[in-house]
Amino acid sequence: MYVGGENLFRSNMCYPSKIYALIEHENAFNLEEEMWKLIFWRSHLKVLICYDYNDYDKTSTAKSKWLERKIRKLLSMQKKVRGYIPEPQGVEYLFLRACRKEPRGTIFWKW
């Protein structure tokens, strides 16, 4: 979390009055668990950092379409929850994904 505002309780910013950004990092393939956390916490910016199959590993349709299917699932989860608990105006989600173009190559990021 990236926090600020006032301390609501104690003086070490453990209980801030404002959360500027929520950040979840998934280094495996269970993006849904991280998305669930983002959906239910309050913040105007919610960031999910994840990794896709590397470009040289995308030898099958399942691997090449994996991230696309995951993002559709994450957005579906968000839509279902909004039906019960609407989010405030202006909430934004940012998905950052990394992978490599070649073995042992530099990791590159996309959003």
Side-chain angles (χ1 to χ4, degrees):
M1 288 190 271
Y2 178 63
V3 300
E6 300 175 39
N7 289 305
L8 298 177
F9 176 62
R10 297 192 182 144
S11 61
N12 56 2
M13 219 33 156
C14 288
Y15 301 92
S17 63
K18 180 138 177 89
I19 298 173
Y20 295 108
L22 290 169
I23 304 166
E24 283 292 340
H25 177 246
E26 175 59 39
N27 60 4
F29 296 101
N30 193 8
L31 304 182
E32 294 87 349
E33 186 173 337
E34 306 306 329
M35 184 65 169
W36 184 89
K37 296 173 195 174
L38 292 176
I39 289 170
F40 284 100
W41 278 72
R42 291 186 193 174
S43 178
H44 286 288
L45 177 60
K46 300 178 180 193
V47 181
L48 177 60
I49 301 168
C50 65
Y51 303 90
D52 193 4
Y53 285 97
N54 294 313
D55 285 357
Y56 57 87
D57 281 336
K58 293 182 181 180
T59 55
S60 68
T61 302
K63 286 184 178 180
S64 66
K65 299 290 184 183
W66 176 83
L67 186 62
E68 182 181 324
R69 284 193 313 274
K70 282 287 188 174
I71 289 176
R72 277 199 308 269
K73 172 68 175 173
L74 301 179
L75 295 175
S76 170
M77 290 170 60
Q78 179 194 35
K79 184 177 179 180
K80 285 179 185 176
V81 173
R82 278 186 174 171
Y84 297 101
I85 307 167
E87 285 189 297
Q89 285 282 114
V91 172
E92 294 184 296
Y93 285 79
L94 173 62
F95 300 129
L96 297 174
R97 75 98 163 148
C99 70
R100 297 182 200 278
K101 292 184 184 246
E102 55 195 41
R104 296 192 203 128
T106 303
I107 292 174
F108 70 96
W109 293 91
K110 288 188 177 181
W111 59 88

